[in-house]
Amino acid sequence: MIEFSSLIAGIALLLLLLTAAAKGWLASRPLGPEPAASEEDATEPCPAELVNRIFSREDWEFVRGLKAGGIERLFEQERKRVALVWVCQISAMVRKVMREHAQAARQSKNLRISTEINIFAQFLVLMAVCGILSAAIQLAGPLWLGGLAHFAQRLSQRVSKVQETIRAGALSSAREAGSA
Amino acid sequence: MLSQGIWWSSIVLEVFLLARAASARLIFRYPVFYGYISFVLSQSILRSLVHRWYEQGYKRVYWTTEFLGLAMGCWIVFEVYRVALAAYPGTARMARKILVFLFVLAASKAAAALWSDPHLLVETTPLQVERALRTVQAISIAALVAVFVFYSIPFGRNLRGILLGYGLFVGERVICLTFVPPQGHHFWFYAASASYPVALSLWLFYMWSYQPSPVTKDSLQLEYDYQRIAAATRRRLQETSGYLRRVVRS
């Protein structure tokens, strides 16, 4: 048992360090990692109407009514692609929120470990939901996933509210520091 | 023959690393790290002399110096933590709490094992003790690296090299010690010995010249705001959890 846990610890450390070295996670980056293009674009989630539309069956039923196999296939492929882009956007937004939170929290002298763990757990849940959603879209297509998509949308909106609070906090602090 | 090769390559690399540190004046920048290298160099020479002139005392000298080296290694990790997080009190606090938790966990596990088997201390070999201690060290380093990565702590080339080299050495050593037999020279025995020259080569590459850790300018005073953010986050999380419950029920 001890041997097995030692082996796991050793392998985990090696993998973590090799990944950190390969991806440059421990490199000189005073303001955190440069966001990917998709992360920079991820300022706010898509409007709810658009998400409704992506996952709604109305358009699908209309296309089916045309009785054209080629158009049906094209519609399915396009809808799947749009849905996957939306999931990527949500997960990029969540990552951005976490990066901003980490940059604000790392300077704070009275950081609370329990709160940080809570936020991290929330992040993991959201990332897991995005992963599951992405896999489900790949497997079943977006038209069958309306409920799950709405759930993810609501969660991400809540996270963006937290992001706004963090921004407002940082700004007011900067103003206070400036006026002092 | 292979043991000799590994031993000599370690000695040469250590001497080269120390000479380079002296010429580039790195030795004054990272005294703990170079203190460790000097210690390992002198321990290798001491062990060799004892092996040659006083063989019956070799085992005792070997294990004493091995555990001293392990303790000095912990000091290196502490130094990396201290230097890297000097400008980040929030992350330092987080790292401290995690490390304390890990050490308490390891100590409790050891105490529980001793409680259930009082003869454990007599029956345990130094190799098993080293493996257990290195495992705790590996978990601690992994936790520290995870904290550094999560909070995007900027590292200079030198500090990064020290952490990567020592972390890889500990990781390799833990894996090798899991398989190394108590007696005889096996593949894993050589692999365990060879992990140190690998770390030395990495250090030589990263510690060729002095490169300070970047200093951040974003020194916002967020104490009050963090409390507010934390309260808002907790409220949002409670709302989300309520929402989740409703979704599951519906």
Side-chain angles (χ1 to χ4, degrees):
Chain A
M1 187 63 196
I2 286 283
E3 286 83 352
F4 185 67
S5 60
S6 297
L7 189 63
I8 296 289
I11 290 171
L13 177 60
L14 279 186
L15 286 178
L16 181 63
L17 286 170
L18 290 174
T19 315
K23 296 210 167 193
W25 286 343
L26 293 174
S28 308
R29 37 175 192 162
L31 289 170
E34 284 297 310
S38 59
E39 275 183 67
E40 277 202 89
D41 298 340
T43 47
E44 52 186 71
C46 290
E49 297 78 41
L50 181 65
V51 182
N52 283 340
R53 198 78 183 179
I54 295 170
F55 293 94
S56 132
R57 292 181 64 82
E58 279 174 37
D59 292 344
W60 167 240
E61 273 155 17
F62 171 75
V63 170
R64 241 172 76 177
L66 296 175
K67 309 263 184 222
I71 295 174
E72 273 181 38
R73 269 195 303 279
L74 191 66
F75 175 82
E76 266 190 283
Q77 281 169 4
E78 290 299 317
R79 208 29 85 88
K80 188 185 267 190
R81 213 171 289 166
V82 172
L84 287 172
V85 167
W86 174 76
V87 174
C88 284
Q89 209 180 16
I90 296 286
S91 78
M93 198 190 73
V94 172
R95 282 200 302 274
K96 192 178 175 207
V97 169
M98 280 310 282
R99 204 179 53 248
E100 285 177 2
H101 171 79
Q103 282 178 2
R106 69 184 184 181
Q107 299 270 344
S108 176
K109 282 179 186 149
N110 56 358
L111 178 141
R112 281 176 184 270
I113 192 162
S114 54
T115 311
E116 290 295 298
I117 290 169
N118 269 332
I119 292 169
F120 186 62
Q122 182 67 69
F123 166 71
L124 288 183
V125 168
L126 275 168
M127 292 310 283
V129 168
C130 287
I132 292 166
L133 202 55
S134 184
I137 289 168
Q138 292 275 15
L139 289 172
L143 303 172
W144 313 97
L145 298 165
L148 192 54
H150 286 298
F151 167 60
Q153 177 78 5
R154 291 283 294 273
L155 276 181
S156 73
Q157 275 168 354
R158 281 171 197 279
V159 170
S160 74
K161 278 182 191 167
V162 174
Q163 183 187 14
E164 278 164 25
T165 317
I166 292 170
R167 271 194 194 148
L171 277 173
S172 71
S173 171
R175 278 192 204 117
E176 277 167 29
S179 61
Chain B
M1 186 67 188
L2 189 57
S3 296
Q4 288 284 312
I6 292 169
W7 191 83
W8 276 109
S9 64
S10 299
I11 296 287
V12 168
L13 283 167
E14 280 165 348
V15 170
F16 197 33
L17 190 63
L18 287 171
R20 180 65 207 163
S23 72
R25 302 189 66 78
L26 275 161
I27 216 153
F28 304 107
R29 304 271 185 190
Y30 304 102
V32 175
F33 172 70
Y34 287 107
Y36 172 78
I37 299 292
S38 310
F39 171 80
V40 179
L41 177 64
S42 48
Q43 93 169 6
S44 306
I45 295 166
L46 177 74
R47 280 176 187 175
S48 165
L49 290 173
V50 170
H51 192 259
R52 193 181 172 103
W53 303 109
Y54 181 60
E55 210 174 334
Q56 63 268 37
Y58 178 75
K59 213 169 180 178
R60 183 171 294 177
V61 170
Y62 177 86
W63 285 112
T64 309
T65 50
E66 189 69 13
F67 288 117
L68 275 174
L70 200 151
M72 285 197 76
C74 293
W75 196 11
I76 289 186
V77 177
F78 178 75
E79 193 65 7
V80 169
Y81 151 83
R82 197 184 61 78
V83 175
L85 300 181
Y88 305 100
T91 314
R93 190 182 159 94
M94 186 77 174
R96 249 188 337 264
K97 296 254 180 189
I98 291 174
L99 289 182
V100 166
F101 171 74
L102 288 175
F103 284 122
V104 167
L105 198 71
S108 319
K109 200 176 172 192
L114 275 174
W115 183 264
S116 62
D117 182 7
H119 303 291
L120 191 71
L121 211 57
V122 184
E123 289 163 0
T124 309
T125 62
L127 190 82
Q128 288 170 319
V129 176
E130 190 191 352
R131 186 172 57 214
L133 292 176
R134 290 278 185 205
T135 304
V136 175
Q137 207 179 19
I139 294 169
S140 310
I141 295 172
L144 261 185
V145 172
V147 169
F148 291 149
V149 169
F150 182 75
Y151 287 100
S152 306
I153 302 299
F155 268 68
R157 184 184 167 87
N158 299 148
L159 209 59
R160 190 164 76 244
I162 293 174
L163 183 65
L164 283 179
Y166 193 70
L168 289 175
F169 165 68
V170 170
E172 283 175 46
R173 188 118 185 120
V174 166
I175 294 170
C176 295
L177 286 174
T178 309
F179 296 110
V180 78
Q183 297 286 322
H185 289 190
H186 188 264
F187 166 78
W188 291 105
F189 169 82
Y190 293 114
S193 312
S195 58
Y196 188 58
V198 171
L200 283 169
S201 312
L202 206 70
W203 283 328
L204 203 58
F205 173 72
Y206 277 99
M207 309 293 284
W208 192 254
S209 58
Y210 177 62
Q211 278 188 16
S213 291
V215 180
T216 53
K217 292 172 187 167
D218 52 344
S219 55
L220 289 172
Q221 299 298 310
L222 287 165
E223 279 72 44
Y224 171 74
D225 296 293
Y226 182 78
Q227 297 276 8
R228 213 170 64 184
I229 291 161
T233 308
R234 269 197 296 269
R235 197 176 60 243
R236 298 285 177 206
L237 287 171
Q238 278 163 2
E239 282 172 14
T240 309
S241 139
Y243 175 71
L244 258 172
R245 272 197 296 273
R246 280 198 302 278
V247 167
V248 171
R249 276 180 200 150
S250 64

